[in-house]
């Protein structure tokens, strides 16, 4: 049955890519039907799992482009996000700042943030994640490229893996963030070392293939990432 599963995972991948290429804002503007198709495809992929022990595979390394985040409530005043229990921030927060409020119950402050409005209206924005798990320099780097390569927001984290506990999980602690506009660098006004546990989170990869990765954050958000160029091909 392994072969059959593989074939169905491939068609689920294609369905997911096709559906996402027809939605704006990395899934934030998806219709109910589209969300349903995305959900079914994700279930199928996660059931299959793709490449086993993803954190031990070289296939997880390098640059990935964020093409979908599941909807969840986000508070713009706390851009690192908070978990359901109000504790740790995750990557969710950063990505959500740029993808806009997810529903009408968002606070008025969130929906009227001019930065958020101007950034979300830019379809040219790309959000990428770079994973390096080599000994001594394990990092997860998140880049929000606002205008080509000259303006971007970088949120970087030291990463660790404990394969004997989980071969899917990357644990990270943010330690560097800044906004780069041309030659001007604006540090992010959060002293990460003072945040302690608040600056930490984790990412579980639930599906991995040559071109697609599905990961879940510590807040329960699902991310779909593709190798650069996959979605436009």
């Amino acid at each position: 049955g392994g072969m059959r599963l593989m074939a169905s995972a491939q068609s689920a991948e294609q369905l997911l890519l096709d559906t996402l290429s027809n939605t704006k804002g990395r899934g934030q503007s998806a219709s109910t039907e589209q969300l349903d198709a995305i959900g079914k495809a994700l279930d199928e992929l996660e059931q299959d799992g793709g490449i086993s022990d993803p954190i031990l595979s070289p296939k997880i390394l390098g640059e990935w482009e964020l093409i979908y985040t599941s909807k969840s409530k986000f508070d713009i005043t706390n851009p690192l996000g908070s978990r359901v229990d109000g504790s740790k921030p995750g990557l969710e927060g950063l990505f959500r700042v740029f993808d806009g409020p997810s529903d009408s119950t968002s606070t008025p402050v969130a929906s009227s943030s001019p930065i958020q409005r101007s950034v979300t209206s830019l379809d040219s924005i790309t959000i990428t994640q770079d994973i390096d798990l080599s000994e001594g320099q394990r990092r997860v780097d998140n880049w929000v490229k606002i205008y080509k390569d000259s303006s971007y927001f970088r949120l970087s984290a030291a990463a660790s893996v404990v394969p004997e506990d989980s071969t899917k999980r990357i644990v990270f602690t943010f330690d560097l963030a800044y906004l780069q506009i041309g030659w001007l660098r604006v540090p992010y006004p959060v002293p990460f070392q003072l945040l302690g546990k608040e600056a930490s989170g984790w990412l579980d990869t639930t599906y991995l293939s040559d071109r697609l990765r599905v990961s879940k954050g510590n807040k329960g958000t699902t991310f779909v990432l593709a190798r650069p160029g996959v979605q436009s091909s």
Side-chain angles (χ1 to χ4, degrees):
M3 201 59 215
R4 194 174 54 83
L5 255 182
M6 235 170 68
S8 69
Q10 267 184 326
S11 55
E13 260 192 29
Q14 201 50 56
L15 174 69
L16 188 58
L17 287 166
D18 292 345
T19 308
L20 288 175
S21 66
N22 290 317
T23 75
K24 274 194 162 62
R26 282 161 278 270
Q28 299 305 294
S29 62
S31 66
T32 312
E33 289 86 343
Q34 286 171 326
L35 286 173
D36 193 45
I38 291 165
K40 285 198 173 95
L42 283 172
D43 285 348
E44 187 143 347
L45 292 178
E46 294 190 323
Q47 224 177 336
D48 180 277
I51 295 162
S52 56
D53 305 327
I55 64 164
L56 302 177
S57 168
K59 301 269 188 198
I60 200 172
L61 306 175
E63 191 183 26
W64 293 90
E65 188 176 327
L66 183 74
I67 60 172
Y68 171 78
T69 60
S70 61
K71 297 186 178 190
S72 76
K73 290 187 176 58
F74 173 64
D75 172 10
I76 191 87
T77 58
N78 178 15
L80 284 177
S82 59
R83 268 178 26 176
V84 182
D85 62 2
S87 66
K88 298 177 197 166
L91 293 174
E92 290 88 334
L94 164 76
F95 292 150
R96 218 51 77 291
V97 171
F98 296 94
D99 280 333
S102 55
D103 56 30
S104 52
T105 60
S106 299
T107 59
V109 177
S111 53
S112 64
S113 157
I115 298 176
Q116 193 181 23
R117 267 211 312 274
S118 58
V119 172
T120 46
S121 64
L122 292 176
D123 255 352
S124 58
I125 190 171
T126 52
I127 300 179
T128 59
Q129 185 174 72
D130 210 315
I131 296 179
D132 182 354
L133 295 179
S134 46
E135 201 66 57
Q137 49 187 38
R138 295 193 175 111
R139 296 198 70 78
V140 174
D141 247 313
N142 305 287
W143 307 83
V144 178
K145 294 174 184 169
I146 300 158
Y147 181 72
K148 305 211 165 89
D149 283 332
S150 62
S151 298
Y152 54 86
F153 178 72
R154 179 186 179 195
L155 180 63
S156 187
S160 63
V161 290
V162 187
E164 47 274 25
D165 290 349
S166 166
T167 55
K168 292 181 186 296
R169 177 165 297 185
I170 296 174
V171 179
F172 57 82
T173 304
F174 294 120
D175 58 7
L176 173 72
Y178 58 85
L179 179 63
Q180 186 84 32
I181 303 165
W183 49 266
L184 178 70
R185 179 170 293 193
V186 185
Y188 190 66
V190 176
F192 290 112
Q193 38 311 2
L194 298 184
L195 287 173
K197 265 204 181 115
E198 296 293 299
S200 299
W202 45 256
L203 206 55
D204 279 345
T205 291
T206 52
Y207 178 80
L208 178 66
S209 74
D210 284 332
R211 59 181 188 161
L212 217 59
R213 168 162 64 92
V214 178
S215 293
K216 279 192 164 62
N218 48 284
K219 222 177 74 185
T221 303
T222 299
F223 302 105
V224 178
L225 303 100
R227 286 298 186 192
V230 161
Q231 208 184 14
S232 50
S233 59

